[in-house]
Each structure stands twice: as C-alpha cells, then as structure tokens.
Amino acid sequence: MPTPAILHVDMDAFFASVAQLDHPELAGKPVIVGGHSTQRGVVASASYEARAHGVHSAMPIAQAIALCPHAICVPVAMGRYRQVNRQVRQIWDRFAPVVEPAGLDEAYLDITGTEALLGPPKKVESDLRAAILAETNLSASVGGGTSKLVAKMASRACKPAGVLWIEPGTERQWLQGHDVALMPGIGPVTQKRLRAMGVNTIGDLAGFPTDILASRFGVHGVELQAAACGRDTRAVTPAGLAKSISAEETFDADSSDRDFLHRRMLDLSCEVGYRLRQAGLVAATITAKVRLGRGFETIERSVTLPAATQDDDTICRAAWDRVISAWDRSDAVRLLGVRASNLRPSLQLSLFDPAGGPAGQESRPVDGIPRSLPAGLNEVLDAVRERFGYEAITRGALLKEPRRQSISGD
DNA sequence: TCTGGGGTCCTAGGACCC
DNA sequence: TCTGGGGTCCTAGGACCC
C-alpha cells in the first residue's frame, strides 16, 4: 500500500473574492457578503481587508459594521457562486483522479500514486494554486498530508494564498500543539465538554483514555481521538447525487400574516422545484421549517409523499400543510424554509424533451415506468429562465413582494 | 446589535413486516 | 395469553460543516 497523499484545496474568502472579481471597484477594499437586510443577518464571507478589522463569518452584520464602518456590504448571490464553483471544479479535476467537493469553495483531492505523473505533492500543491489563480483570478490555499484531517488543518494553517505539505510521519507531532477547537468535527458543544474534562489541545485528546471518550461521546469520540493521533482513514470519495435541496428565508420582520407567509412558501417552493428540475431529480420527502420570533425556536415537520415530485405547487402544498400543522397562529414567524429530500433521478430524457415532455410529478407508473405529465406552468417558466435567467419571470401571485435574494448568476 | 442560508450525518423511537 | 428478534422506513431533533 503506497503512503496516502491527500490535498485539501480551499478558496480564500470565496464569496467576498467573487464579489471583488465581479466588481473591480471593490478590489482592495473591506467587503462583507451578507443579506440585503442590514437589520437581520450574519456575515457569510468577509474579504481579508474586512477581517483585518476583526470581522469574521457568522458574525451579526450590525456588529461587523460597528467594527468596520467603511465596509461595503453586498448581498449573497448563491447562483453566481455555483457558477464559479463549476469552473473551479474543472481545474481540481485535472489534478487528481478522485475529487471530493466539500461545499462550493473547497475539496479533497486524492493524489496517491500520481507522483510519477504530476511530481511530488509539494509541487502539485503549488501548481494547483497557480492554475486556479491564472484561470479564475481567484486565490486558493492548499494543504496536504496523509489524511483528510491533516490536509484540511494544513490548508487552514497556511491561509491565505499559501501551500503547506505535512511530511508523512510528522503529522501527530504537527497536530498536537493545535487547540481542539481547530479540529474539524469539534464544534461548540463538543469543545465545551472536552474542556470540562481538561482536554484543550489535540495532543491532550490524543493522549486521553479511550474508554472514557467512548463512554461519553460514543463512536464519534473514538474516531476523533484516532484522527488526533494522525489515524484518519476516511477515503476521498467522489460526490454522488445530492441528498437534499432546500431554500429558506428569514424575514425583515416577524410575521403572523397567513397570506404573506403562504406567498413566501410558494416562492421558496418554486425555487426548490426549479433546482430539482435543473438537476433532473424528484423528491419523495418534503420538509417545512418554521422558526418563531419568540425564543428563536425552530420546528421542522416532514412528509413522505406517495409519489416523488419536482412540481412547484405539489411541493408548496405539502410544505404549507406541514406549516399549518406545526404553527400556532398566535406566534409570529421569523423564518420559513422548505427542503426536498429522499431524492432520485427523475428518469426524464431531457428537460425539454419534445416527445414525452418533462416530468412534472411522477404519476401512476405504466408498466413500472413513471409516466410524465404533459408540459405545464413549471416548464414554461423554466424555458424562459433557461434563456433569460431565474429572475426573468415569476408568478403573478408572488408580485406583492420584491423578489428574495438572487439565485441566478447575475 | 443577537443569532443567514445551504448542506451532511447521526440518533432514537415507533410502525410495520417477516 | 404472552410476547422473540431482525430489518427497514419514517419522523423529529441535534451537531457540525462552510
């Protein structure tokens, strides 16, 4: 067995860097990517110029502005990031036979056994960074080592615009001085429990009695400890089909207005339906999410449908039905969301197949093959969006409010 | 000045079937 | 009249990731 060589490539301040790329006047300036609403929301991404003032991801926007009053706030544009992601993925794919994306801005690359072809790992790291910069004008950092954990921690340690290769055999020593909070898989909850046990560094975790970790944290604890010792055997696996597609929206102000909430749910459902059809997927399970203004309480209710769907109205009906079952109308609603899961390929030949027409909803199977419904409203909307973008057209029922944030590429 | 949006994985109980 | 054990699916919630 050859010694594993795994790289972790991580785009630097991805959303903020894309904003600076698309709007050259923002280059070199503190940029905060958040929502339209400066009242509610957190920082999704901050440029390094903004980070110099103490701004970081997940910080409330208002707090970020207080730290960096001259920062420029731009809205999140998921569609645009997905577009750039597709471009960057093509570069990643050239450098490794197996690539596992982890979100839009990072990926693991298994380059084991490619040394004869691509050169030593350190050179691959530099070449990959250079290729991304040359072809996209975006900066990335690349870390590497014998496992996913070491690769990821290395890319984090060399940010921004760095490369770092941890030599095989030195990983345990390199890891041990780091704080446990820096270890992927240890969030706020686990961190607090570990500190209460006197575990503060990765070295502490590596040396802690395994049986105690097992009794308190179960399998997860044992795996974390193995990783802390440099024993992380998780394989780099290529992305399969998506497991879920979701959309959610936090309102500028909490609302108990049933008509308003229903219209928002329809808009969210349309977005999820559109993305299902784009991906050629149907969903059997629909989950509605309701967050109350009171106490930030979050409720989820799901239903598995008799037939999988990619139809906007079917998704909306299922989701709204679940909202009604969970929502006490005396509570003002802060957020609504809808998620499609239990996904499978829709088996349609093409979105615009003139013969069968695209599938709206799986209906009764004929000879075991789901039959497509004839083209309807969804397909008319999709066809317009295909040419002019998602924002180009919307339902009359949704015209009462301004459109929510863009999912399109512009 | 409270707390976005889009994901994955895990646990645990109950239904249901064999 | 009392009550097995395994497997799978569904639902709700939680931790964690970027």
Side-chain angles (χ1 to χ4, degrees):
Chain A
M1 273 268 283
T3 308
I6 293 171
L7 302 186
H8 181 257
V9 53
D10 197 336
M11 306 298 292
D12 297 326
F14 183 55
F15 296 178
S17 298
V18 171
Q20 290 175 324
L21 186 69
D22 291 347
H23 305 279
E25 69 277 12
L26 298 182
K29 297 193 177 150
V31 173
I32 292 173
V33 182
H36 294 279
S37 156
T38 51
Q39 297 306 309
R40 284 186 160 173
V42 299
V43 176
S45 172
S47 70
Y48 281 89
E49 295 84 1
R51 294 185 196 198
H53 291 80
V55 175
H56 59 79
S57 299
M59 171 183 281
I61 297 272
Q63 187 182 351
I65 299 289
L67 286 171
C68 186
H70 55 299
I72 299 150
C73 287
V74 301
V76 175
M78 289 307 296
R80 173 63 181 146
Y81 312 138
R82 290 189 183 107
Q83 210 175 60
V84 179
N85 169 264
R86 286 193 287 274
Q87 194 187 348
V88 178
R89 264 166 113 148
Q90 292 181 357
I91 304 171
W92 296 342
D93 285 339
R94 295 208 307 264
F95 281 80
V98 185
V99 176
E100 177 181 335
L104 293 177
D105 68 332
E106 59 181 82
Y108 294 95
L109 281 65
D110 189 343
I111 57 163
T112 308
T114 65
E115 186 151 349
L117 193 65
L118 299 174
K122 275 185 195 168
K123 179 176 184 301
V124 180
E125 290 186 336
S126 299
D127 290 349
L128 173 58
R129 214 198 92 69
I132 293 170
L133 189 61
E135 294 173 43
T136 68
N137 277 314
L138 291 168
S139 174
S141 299
V142 187
T146 53
S147 69
K148 287 167 97 170
L149 176 89
V150 170
K152 183 166 176 65
M153 294 207 41
S155 74
R156 197 179 284 177
C158 70
K159 268 182 170 301
V163 293
L164 178 61
W165 172 252
I166 304 302
E167 290 294 339
T170 68
E171 47 278 286
R172 182 164 178 174
Q173 209 230 324
W174 182 74
L175 286 170
Q176 70 175 1
H178 290 83
D179 195 287
V180 277
L182 295 175
M183 189 159 154
I186 297 180
V189 177
T190 307
Q191 190 193 326
K192 197 173 170 199
R193 292 175 65 195
L194 286 172
R195 292 207 195 280
M197 295 158 64
V199 174
N200 290 298
T201 66
I202 295 184
D204 293 340
L205 179 59
F208 205 81
T210 307
D211 53 335
I212 300 181
L213 289 172
S215 68
R216 304 222 185 148
F217 298 97
V219 186
H220 189 51
V222 177
E223 283 174 0
L224 283 174
Q225 185 181 44
C229 298
R231 296 191 309 270
D232 169 20
T233 57
R234 291 173 301 157
V236 177
T237 46
L241 289 178
K243 303 269 193 328
S244 68
I245 290 178
S246 66
E248 63 184 55
E249 180 183 8
T250 296
F251 308 122
D252 289 341
D254 300 346
S255 173
S256 303
D257 179 340
R258 199 181 157 114
D259 291 338
F260 168 80
L261 293 173
H262 184 261
R263 287 195 301 276
R264 302 321 301 142
M265 183 55 91
L266 179 58
D267 197 11
L268 293 165
S269 300
C270 288
E271 182 187 325
V272 168
Y274 176 71
R275 286 171 51 206
L276 283 168
R277 296 189 295 278
Q278 292 286 298
L281 296 169
V282 289
T285 302
I286 302 299
T287 303
K289 180 171 170 179
V290 178
R291 176 169 291 150
L292 305 178
R294 181 174 52 79
F296 207 65
E297 187 190 351
T298 305
I299 307 162
E300 290 193 342
R301 291 289 179 271
S302 63
V303 60
T304 297
L305 304 169
T309 187
Q310 57 179 189
D311 172 62
D312 299 349
D313 290 303
T314 306
I315 293 167
C316 186
R317 267 196 304 278
W320 185 248
D321 187 58
R322 299 289 76 200
V323 169
I324 292 304
S325 80
W327 173 45
D328 172 350
R329 291 186 60 185
S330 62
D331 282 320
V333 174
R334 179 188 179 91
L335 166 150
L336 279 185
V338 57
R339 181 170 67 248
S341 60
N342 215 338
L343 306 180
R344 55 194 74 144
S346 59
L347 300 180
Q348 69 193 45
L349 294 175
S350 147
L351 195 55
F352 302 105
D353 173 21
Q361 179 182 8
E362 277 180 24
S363 53
R364 280 175 296 280
V366 178
D367 300 329
I369 300 167
R371 184 170 55 85
S372 293
L373 295 175
L377 179 57
N378 291 333
E379 290 68 41
V380 174
L381 292 173
D382 289 350
V384 172
R385 286 167 173 160
E386 189 79 359
R387 287 193 60 186
F388 302 109
Y390 186 83
E391 309 294 318
I393 190 166
T394 191
R395 294 168 179 235
L398 295 176
L399 287 177
K400 290 195 178 183
E401 286 89 32
R403 292 204 55 83
R404 44 191 301 276
Q405 73 176 38
S406 163
I407 71 158
S408 75
D410 357 278

